[in-house]
Amino acid sequence: MAHSTVVEDERFMRLALAQASLAFCAGEIPIGSVLVQNGECIFAEHNRVEELQDASAHAEMLCLRGGAAVQGSWRLMGTTLYVTVEPCPMCLAALHAFRVDRLVYGAVNPRLGAVESSMRDPASAEHAYHTFEIAGGVLADEASELMKLFFRKRRNGEVDVEKPPEGRMPASGSSANVCSSVTGSGEHECSE
């Protein structure tokens, strides 16, 4: 891998880690995602499953949907998706469907990962109409530590998962998606 690609991958993974920190502070599983085209962030998101009460509101899914809206097309050719944790089968399938060119992820997801972990299906490694490049392990230690800290705090009752009142969905769009406002520090200190 070229040096410039390594530097760029780490730069954008730091933005994804900052999104993961936003999820952490919101009581969501801390996974963040950034969609990049031509060296520019076009969309950034984090997990919002609890906020939206939507099991498909994974960082990757929201980022791909948002990127398609920004681009005005569901075909996201020429893009790279950065995500802090190895995607699950649903998100990996979406990468194919949205025609993303490249996936870069941080930590492996031993239980639900579909690239190299337990949910990997070697028989479906070749997709019928779209393939993309995959790079894993970028800033994996930082991503893994954030996940471990989140689950440790949750087990100890230190992380609350806010759920809306029965039968009421929160307003959509409450997650700021401004790529330029994401610091990329990857810190997980939450302000009150």
Side-chain angles (χ1 to χ4, degrees):
M1 184 181 299
H3 176 70
S4 62
T5 304
V6 170
V7 170
E8 185 170 273
D9 285 351
E10 288 182 359
R11 175 179 153 225
F12 288 117
M13 188 59 74
R14 291 205 183 283
L15 294 177
L17 283 165
Q19 286 291 318
S21 291
L22 293 174
F24 183 104
C25 292
E28 298 276 0
I29 293 175
I31 298 176
S33 186
V34 174
L35 187 64
V36 173
Q37 187 171 46
N38 299 323
E40 297 293 325
C41 173
I42 60 172
F43 213 84
E45 261 296 359
H46 59 273
N47 274 2
R48 294 172 59 201
V49 171
E50 298 298 336
E51 175 193 346
L52 300 176
Q53 291 297 288
D54 177 353
S56 72
H58 291 194
E60 303 96 307
M61 298 295 288
L62 297 172
C63 199
L64 293 169
R65 290 176 192 146
V70 166
Q71 298 289 81
S73 173
W74 59 269
R75 291 178 183 91
L76 296 174
M77 293 176 211
T79 62
T80 298
L81 185 75
Y82 292 85
V83 62
T84 56
V85 176
E86 177 187 7
C88 71
M90 173 183 68
C91 294
L92 190 64
L95 284 158
H96 286 288
F98 278 96
R99 310 296 201 277
V100 171
D101 282 358
R102 187 166 179 253
L103 164 67
V104 179
Y105 65 92
V108 295
N109 183 349
R111 292 185 181 153
L112 297 174
V115 176
E116 64 178 279
S117 298
S118 66
M119 300 294 281
R120 179 175 168 260
D121 182 4
S124 66
E126 289 296 318
H127 196 271
Y129 53 84
H130 181 72
T131 58
F132 51 84
E133 180 185 336
I134 299 172
V138 176
L139 301 180
D141 290 342
E142 290 92 332
S144 179
E145 284 305 312
L146 187 60
M147 293 287 283
K148 289 175 187 174
L149 178 62
F150 176 82
F151 285 108
R152 184 171 44 248
K153 285 182 175 266
R154 193 158 91 175
R155 277 191 305 275
N156 294 335
E158 299 172 47
V159 173
D160 290 327
V161 176
E162 295 294 324
K163 295 183 181 173
E166 188 73 27
R168 294 187 50 211
M169 296 290 285
S172 183
S174 62
S175 172
N177 174 48
V178 182
C179 293
S180 60
S181 72
V182 178
T183 64
S185 67
E187 294 188 22
H188 47 270
E189 294 299 319
C190 305
S191 59
E192 293 297 317

